[in-house]
Structures are given as C-alpha cells and as structure tokens.
Amino acid sequence: MTSQAADRPETVGASRRSKLTREREQEFFDAVLGQLRACGYDAVTMEGIAARTRCSKSTLYRQWRTKPRLVAAALRSSQCPRFSGIDTGTLAGDLVEAARAAGKVSADDTRLLQALGHALVQDAELGRALREAVVGPEVDALREILRRGVERGEVPAGHPALEYVPVQMFGVLRARVVLEGRHADPDYLVRFVEAAVLPALGLAPAHGHRSPSQG
C-alpha cells in the first residue's frame, strides 16, 4: 500500500478545518520539508509528521485531508524568490548575481527535487505546487532580468538564446550532482554563466568579476 493510500482515513470525510495559527501551521510545513529532504517523499507520513510536531493525526487530516495536499501546502509555504531584487545595471551582472544566489541554496533545492522525484510525475497537484512555489517565481524573475536587458539594448528582442536561459540555469543545478556527485555551488554557477550563458547571448563577462581557473 502506498503512503498516500495509508494516509487517508475514511473518518476524516467532511470534518471541518480547525483554526491554526500561522506559526503552528509553519511548524507542520517545516517538518514536512525537513523530512522530504532527509528521507524522500515515500518516508513522509501523516503519522510521522504528527509525531514530530506533537499533534494528533486528526489535526493534520482536518486541515489537509491527504499527504499530497499537506506536501503541496508545505511547498507553497516555502515560496521565496531569490532572484527578485537583483539589478546591477547590466544583464551580465544580473545573471552573475542570479548564479551566486542560486548556488547558495542549490544543495537544499536539489535535495528537495530529488526527494519528490517520481511523486511529481504521479501527482499533478504536487507538480503544480512545485512549479508555483519553487520554480515559477524564479523563472519569472529571470525573465524579468532578461526583459530589462532587452530594453537596455544589450540583447536583441528576438535573440534565440533568450528562451533557453532559465532552462540552462535550472538544468545545471540538477545535472552537476548527477554527473559529478557535487552540487552546483556559487563559484561553479558563476563560471557556468560566464562560459556558457553569456557567450550564447553575445555578452562579455560582468565587469570586475574574474572567475578562478578551477573550483
């Protein structure tokens, strides 16, 4: 029996949701995200989260009814666009700063994506929650950075490489740990942007930044 099926008691049914404080709700979400990163999606159970947060299972069922709904809510609670607010005045500088920002949290983000893995394919709600909470805001912020670069005339509006910048940035975050067994840290991502992303856009490295030869 899957954990989803096991975590859906028939007695919950039409039970009314109780009022939880924001702080208490966040405790549940933090416990879910911590368990996801540490042990994977299948290891997350309503019973386990209840034990970690010292509440009854019925409280969780009243609020979210199923494990996928609880996990989706936890993902949405983690929404924190780390690219927003970046504005160095140049597209190259903005992309380098975005690389640094992504590298600082790449280990946590990669663990989260790996933990969800197969479940994302099986559960559409989880997939939507991940895109809304983790991926969507970052992609939107990157597109805003690119839009400003186009407005400043740094890159032509129809440049074919513009479409692929978000895929490049997020792809390398996932790929390095698979290919090399190491997370894409800030130094690696900056070097990647300068060696692959900027040349594709016809841009020179950001002024004043010098990449180390190794890392």
Side-chain angles (χ1 to χ4, degrees):
M1 181 180 293
T2 66
S3 56
Q4 178 177 343
D7 285 345
R8 187 188 293 143
E10 296 180 5
T11 56
V12 174
S15 297
R16 297 184 62 186
R17 289 168 57 115
S18 59
K19 184 74 172 178
L20 291 176
T21 66
R22 253 179 152 179
E23 292 76 12
R24 184 58 169 152
E25 195 172 60
Q26 193 60 49
E27 286 183 37
F28 297 137
F29 295 155
D30 289 344
V32 170
L33 294 174
Q35 188 75 355
L36 271 175
R37 292 187 178 105
C39 305
Y41 181 78
D42 289 341
V44 177
T45 64
M46 298 294 252
E47 182 176 30
I49 297 302
R52 287 167 67 92
T53 56
R54 298 182 180 180
C55 75
S56 66
K57 285 195 296 183
S58 61
T59 296
L60 299 180
Y61 287 123
R62 277 196 301 270
Q63 295 297 127
W64 294 285
R65 300 186 64 181
T66 67
K67 169 180 146 178
R69 290 187 181 185
L70 174 57
V71 172
L75 288 171
R76 291 186 177 102
S77 79
S78 70
Q79 182 173 340
C80 182
R82 57 189 65 93
F83 297 157
S84 60
I86 293 176
D87 189 355
T88 68
T90 70
L91 180 53
D94 288 352
L95 291 174
V96 165
E97 288 306 311
R100 288 197 182 101
K104 290 176 182 177
V105 293
S106 69
D108 280 348
D109 283 358
T110 301
R111 277 194 290 267
L112 183 60
L113 291 170
Q114 290 175 329
L116 290 167
H118 185 65
L120 290 172
V121 179
Q122 298 295 317
D123 194 291
E125 185 176 7
L126 278 178
R128 284 193 302 271
L130 182 74
R131 288 188 291 274
E132 290 173 7
V134 179
V135 178
E138 309 293 32
V139 170
D140 290 343
L142 277 175
R143 286 175 177 158
E144 173 62 17
I145 286 172
L146 295 169
R147 184 193 64 78
R148 291 199 308 264
V150 170
E151 284 190 347
R152 288 190 295 258
E154 297 174 82
V155 179
H159 197 296
L162 287 169
E163 177 185 355
Y164 302 106
V165 173
V167 176
Q168 286 179 295
M169 297 286 282
F170 285 97
V172 73
L173 286 168
R174 294 289 307 273
R176 192 189 193 198
V177 72
V178 173
L179 297 177
E180 301 180 13
R182 292 188 290 172
H183 293 290
D185 59 19
D187 177 70
Y188 182 88
L189 281 174
V190 167
R191 290 187 290 112
F192 171 78
V193 164
E194 291 193 337
V197 180
L198 298 186
L201 293 169
L203 299 173
H207 178 69
H209 177 82
R210 297 182 63 185
S211 296
S213 59
Q214 295 183 7

